[in-house]
Amino acid sequence: MISGGPDGVAMLGVALVLAILFAIFLRTRPRTTLVLWCISLCFVPYWMGVNVLVYLPPATAFAILIVASTPMPAWARIRATDVLVAVFVALVVIGHVLGFVDLPSMFVAAVEWASAYLLGRLLAELIELPVLYATFGVVVAIAAGLAVLEFVTAYNPFVHIFPGGPTFEVWGPLQVRGGLLRAEGAFGHSIALGTTCALALPLVLGSNLQPRWKLVCGITLGIGTILTLSRLGIVSSVLGLALCVCFLRSGLGTRAKAAIVVLAAAATVIALPSIVRIFDDAGQEASGSAEYRGSLTSLIPAMQLIGTAGIRSKSAQGVVTWGPFRSIDSALILGGLLYGVLPVALLLIAFVMAVVLVVRGHANPPAIAIVAQLPALVGVALITQYAAAFWFIAGVAVVATAEAARERARSSPAHADVGAGAVSPSTVPGAAGPAAATSHLEEV
């Protein structure tokens, strides 16, 4: 709730006016918008949001502002994944209306996740995809570089930015594993940083960056992920690299793929003994967390078809428990417990579609990034900025998949025969497509 009486309401009014003016300024500047949103994602601590009935994280507030003020381009088409996501959100909202899902849980799915997905869809329509990949990858790589400094110095500057409040109490405390500080940057949790770096890695490899900068960003993302001491982040990064080498056809040549294999092997030889030693030193803490995740499967029978499972309880102090469990470290299981089997099944269908796309040889960088997150989706909830990053990349993947399908259709022999006598939209006076529209947008 907003507090502070008339002064608080006046400040909110001023903030809304400034936000509207800011949105108008960014309306025709998609690249600037992308950079600023990535900055809000990677360098603005999660606890710097505001409470308006529910908690509104900084990156989500920015996404809502842009999505609400910028119409989807006329050339954008509704895709199968859009339908699945829309039905998922509708079921969650219906569950809330019927009293099966509480307001904060509904807000997370219908606003936080959906706004990030729509932002990805929107910016991917307005920005050349290789440029978008490079921008997202470079900003996350900078965050990974700062994580390296954080690990070396054992100092996190972000926890000193607006400390205090219930959200800071949850995400502000730093984590230690095996006597070492786990790098987490502004993400509030080391796993959130590690999995976001893993998301960025395939995008860097498929971007329009020069090879040397791909190498620099890729190595930085890899080291940053390792220094989070997150097994899920490391495994997702390795899986993303493997999928890129095996299935990515554009952005990486044979020599580049061979170099990735050599560098990955060398990094394994160098880093694996230290990683194993750290987890051995962590002892019961590391093994206990793995056993805890495995025991969460016992909650699956309690899931409802739609709505929150009846085993959920909330104490007077606001502590939520699920039967004997307090923390549900699995996005899939927590989603089923919060929203029901049917809504989560729709998202699983979309995920399987992405897996099929990759293994059939039609992979693109964001689709690979999403598929490589399977270990993380099984082993951690969509926490802090990781949730926004995941759904943003999912939205980008929809556009990248559609664009790749159009390219394959244009290059097919049947299309070439028909196209010899056809008129391309770009040859019609006044016609415009995504590239033409983007070229007319004013950039800062």
Side-chain angles (χ1 to χ4, degrees):
M1 296 292 291
I2 300 172
S3 60
D7 290 340
V9 174
M11 291 180 64
L12 177 63
V14 172
L16 288 175
V17 171
L18 293 175
I20 292 172
L21 294 175
F22 187 52
I24 294 173
F25 171 77
L26 293 176
R27 186 183 177 94
T28 55
R29 296 168 171 83
R31 294 184 186 179
T32 303
T33 300
L34 173 62
V35 172
L36 293 177
W37 182 79
C38 289
I39 290 173
S40 75
L41 181 82
C42 296
F43 304 112
V44 180
Y46 184 76
W47 51 84
M48 285 185 63
V50 295
N51 281 296
V52 184
L53 295 178
V54 292
Y55 183 71
L56 186 64
T60 299
F62 198 166
I64 294 171
L65 181 68
I66 300 306
V67 170
S69 62
T70 307
M72 191 67 72
W75 61 79
R77 296 291 181 267
I78 296 176
R79 307 294 174 181
T81 305
D82 296 332
V83 174
L84 291 173
V85 173
V87 176
F88 164 76
V89 171
L91 289 176
V92 171
V93 173
I94 291 171
H96 172 66
V97 172
L98 296 178
F100 301 151
V101 179
D102 64 12
L103 178 61
S105 300
M106 185 275 292
F107 182 86
V108 167
V111 179
E112 287 190 31
W113 297 354
S115 64
Y117 176 83
L118 289 173
L119 183 66
R121 288 282 278 110
L122 174 65
L123 294 182
E125 296 282 4
L126 296 174
I127 301 173
E128 299 90 341
L129 288 174
V131 174
L132 188 152
Y133 301 160
T135 303
F136 184 87
V138 167
V139 175
V140 178
I142 293 172
L146 293 178
V148 174
L149 292 177
E150 176 186 348
F151 184 86
V152 171
T153 62
Y155 176 74
N156 185 320
F158 295 102
V159 298
H160 302 289
I161 301 175
F162 290 100
T167 307
F168 177 81
E169 291 176 3
V170 174
W171 301 111
L174 299 175
Q175 302 164 304
V176 175
R177 171 162 284 175
L180 298 173
L181 178 70
R182 302 177 64 181
E184 62 182 56
F187 285 72
H189 200 288
S190 55
I191 297 179
L193 173 58
T195 49
T196 301
C197 289
L199 275 170
L201 190 54
L203 271 68
V204 165
L205 298 179
S207 71
N208 63 348
L209 291 171
Q210 294 181 0
R212 63 176 179 273
W213 290 114
K214 286 186 181 183
L215 180 64
V216 170
C217 290
I219 291 176
T220 304
L221 288 169
I223 295 175
T225 303
I226 291 173
L227 296 184
T228 65
L229 304 182
S230 165
R231 290 166 294 190
L232 294 173
I234 295 171
V235 172
S236 294
S237 293
V238 172
L239 181 57
L241 277 177
L243 292 175
C244 285
V245 170
C246 294
F247 298 107
L248 190 60
R249 295 183 177 180
S250 61
L252 282 180
T254 303
R255 294 175 61 183
K257 291 182 177 180
I260 289 174
V261 173
V262 172
L263 287 173
T268 301
V269 171
I270 295 172
L272 187 59
S274 298
I275 295 173
V276 171
R277 184 170 60 253
I278 290 170
F279 282 103
D280 285 343
D281 292 342
Q284 187 61 36
E285 181 270 330
S287 60
S289 64
E291 293 174 2
Y292 184 87
R293 290 186 176 101
S295 63
L296 293 174
T297 56
S298 63
L299 299 176
I300 293 177
M303 295 178 185
Q304 305 291 329
L305 185 63
I306 296 178
T308 302
I311 61 172
R312 182 179 189 263
S313 61
K314 189 174 183 178
S315 68
Q317 292 75 31
V319 177
V320 175
T321 55
W322 303 86
F325 300 94
R326 177 175 175 179
S327 173
I328 307 299
D329 297 333
S330 169
L332 297 178
I333 293 177
L334 181 58
L337 291 172
L338 280 175
Y339 307 119
V341 174
L342 183 56
V344 173
L346 295 174
L347 299 184
L348 283 175
I349 291 173
F351 187 84
V352 171
M353 290 167 58
V355 173
V356 172
L357 179 80
V358 171
V359 299
R360 288 184 61 188
H362 301 315
N364 56 70
I368 287 177
I370 292 298
V371 172
Q373 290 297 305
L374 178 59
L377 296 176
V378 172
V380 69
L382 293 174
I383 55 176
T384 67
Q385 292 99 311
Y386 170 52
F390 178 88
W391 280 92
F392 175 82
I393 298 303
V396 175
V398 173
V399 179
T401 301
E403 184 170 302
R406 287 193 296 267
E407 289 294 333
R408 290 195 300 272
R410 282 195 290 265
S411 62
S412 65
H415 183 274
D417 292 339
V418 175
V423 178
S424 170
S426 62
T427 64
V428 178
T438 305
S439 65
H440 287 87
L441 293 172
E442 181 186 358
E443 291 291 339
V444 173

